[in-house]
C-alpha cells in the first residue's frame, strides 16, 4: 500500500503554527508532506525565501502509527491507559494486519485505578471498531503476582474490550502463538512450519476399519 502524501502545506513565518500543521497531518495518517513557499513574480526584485528546514521545526520527526506500516516489529503495544493523542485509522491498521502484526492491550493498570480503567475500555473499544477484533493480544503487564489473572478471566475481560467470545480466547492463545512464529520468521528470514503430533488411537479403537467390519468384529 502506497504512503499517503500532502504536497502543499503553505509555509508560514509562524513556526509554531507550521509545526502544528505537520503534526496534524501526521496524526491524520500522512507519511509525506511538502511545505510550499508561494512566490509572486509580479513584484520586481522579490527575494525567494529560504525554505524551512525540518530540523528547525522538530528535533525528532513526529511518528504516528509508523509501526503499523514500516517498522520491522511483531507487536504494536497500544497505550490504552490514557487519552491517546491520535485516532486509530483503518488504512495503517489494515496494513499491520496484512503484515501479520499483533496489537497488544494490557489490563493490569486498569486494576489499580478507575480512571485508567475507563481509558482502557474506551481506547480498546475504539481499536476494535477499526481492526474488528483481528490480531488482538491481551497481556498483563503485571509487576506483582496479584496483578496476574487466569486465562479465562482475561478472555472474559476481552468481552468488555468489544471482542467476540472466540476472538477473546484467541487473544490469550493462538494470536500469541502467531506473534511468536512471526518473530521467528522475521529473525530467520525464512518461513516457519509448525507441526503437532497427532495422538495415537487407543487399542481396540481402530478407526481404520470400515463400520461394517467393526460390526462383524464386535458381533
Amino acid at each position: 500500500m502506497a504512503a499517503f502524501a500532502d504536497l502543499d502545506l503553505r509555509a508560514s513565518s509562524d513556526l509554531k503554527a507550521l509545526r502544528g500543521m505537520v503534526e496534524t497531518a501526521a496524526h491524520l495518517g500522512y507519511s509525506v508532506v511538502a511545505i510550499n513557499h508561494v512566490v509572486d513574480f509580479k513584484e520586481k526584485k522579490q527575494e525567494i525565501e529560504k525554505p524551512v528546514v525540518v530540523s528547525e521545526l522538530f528535533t525528532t520527526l513526529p511518528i504516528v502509527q509508523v509501526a503499523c506500516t514500516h517498522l520491522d516489529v511483531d507487536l504494536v503495544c497500544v497505550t490504552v491507559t490514557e487519552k491517546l493523542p491520535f485516532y486509530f485509522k483503518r488504512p495503517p491498521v489494515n496494513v499491520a494486519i496484512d503484515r501479520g502484526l499483533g496489537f497488544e492491550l494490557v489490563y493490569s493498570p486498569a486494576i489499580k485505578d478507575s480512571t485508567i480503567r475507563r481509558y482502557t475500555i474506551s481506547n480498546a473499544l475504539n481499536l476494535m471498531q477499526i481492526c474488528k477484533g483481528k490480531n488482538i493480544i491481551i497481556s498483563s503487564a503485571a509487576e506483582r503476582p496479584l496483578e496476574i489473572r487466569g486465562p479465562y478471566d482475561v478472555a472474559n475481560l476481552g468481552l468488555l474490550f468489544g471482542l467476540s467470545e472466540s476472538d477473546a480466547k484467541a487473544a490469550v492463545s493462538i494470536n500469541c502463538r502467531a506473534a511468536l512464529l512471526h518473530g521467528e520468521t522475521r529473525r530467520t528470514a525464512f518461513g516457519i512450519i509448525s507441526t503437532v503430533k497427532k495422538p495415537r488411537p487407543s487399542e481396540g479403537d481402530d478407526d481404520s476399519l470400515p463400520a461394517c467390519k467393526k460390526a462383524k468384529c464386535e458381533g
Side-chain angles (χ1 to χ4, degrees):
M1 179 178 173
F4 295 111
D6 186 337
L7 301 183
D8 192 351
L9 294 184
R10 295 302 171 94
S12 170
S13 58
D14 186 348
L15 295 183
K16 183 177 180 181
L18 186 58
R19 187 183 303 114
M21 280 201 301
V22 175
E23 289 178 338
T24 299
H27 288 305
L28 290 175
Y30 289 99
S31 300
V32 179
V33 296
I35 300 174
N36 188 14
H37 295 260
V38 179
V39 178
D40 186 1
F41 287 101
K42 293 180 180 180
E43 299 181 10
K44 296 181 180 181
K45 297 182 180 181
Q46 182 181 8
E47 294 184 0
I48 299 177
E49 296 181 7
K50 181 181 177 181
V52 176
V53 182
V54 176
S55 59
E56 296 178 6
L57 295 177
F58 303 97
T59 54
T60 57
L61 294 178
I63 300 177
V64 183
Q65 295 174 337
V66 173
C68 294
T69 56
H70 293 86
L71 297 186
D72 191 17
V73 296
D74 307 306
L75 285 177
V76 178
C77 301
V78 181
T79 303
V80 294
T81 57
E82 59 186 15
K83 186 176 181 179
L84 297 177
F86 60 88
Y87 296 101
F88 295 110
K89 297 294 181 180
R90 196 175 302 277
V93 170
N94 287 342
V95 170
I97 293 174
D98 292 339
R99 294 176 61 205
L101 305 188
F103 293 93
E104 184 185 51
L105 305 174
V106 298
Y107 63 82
S108 66
I111 299 174
K112 308 173 186 176
D113 186 271
S114 60
T115 301
I116 293 179
R117 188 179 307 121
R118 288 197 299 270
Y119 280 131
T120 300
I121 296 175
S122 176
N123 292 336
L125 290 173
N126 290 334
L127 176 60
M128 298 311 153
Q129 291 179 353
I130 302 299
C131 73
K132 306 301 181 184
K134 296 180 180 178
N135 295 24
I136 294 295
I137 290 174
I138 303 178
S139 303
S140 67
E143 298 177 351
R144 298 180 301 171
L146 291 176
E147 296 172 358
I148 303 175
R149 296 295 183 266
Y152 290 101
D153 292 334
V154 177
N156 288 333
L157 184 62
L159 301 179
L160 293 178
F161 290 168
L163 291 170
S164 65
E165 184 175 353
S166 59
D167 288 338
K169 291 181 179 177
V172 289
S173 56
I174 59 176
N175 289 355
C176 303
R177 182 170 176 272
L180 296 176
L181 292 179
H182 185 274
E184 186 66 18
T185 304
R186 183 171 55 84
R187 185 177 66 85
T188 60
F190 293 102
I192 297 295
I193 298 177
S194 177
T195 60
V196 179
K197 186 176 180 181
K198 184 177 181 181
R200 299 180 61 181
S202 60
E203 296 182 2
D205 185 16
D206 191 355
D207 293 334
S208 62
L209 294 176
C212 59
K213 291 187 178 181
K214 282 186 179 180
K216 291 180 181 180
C217 292
E218 292 174 358

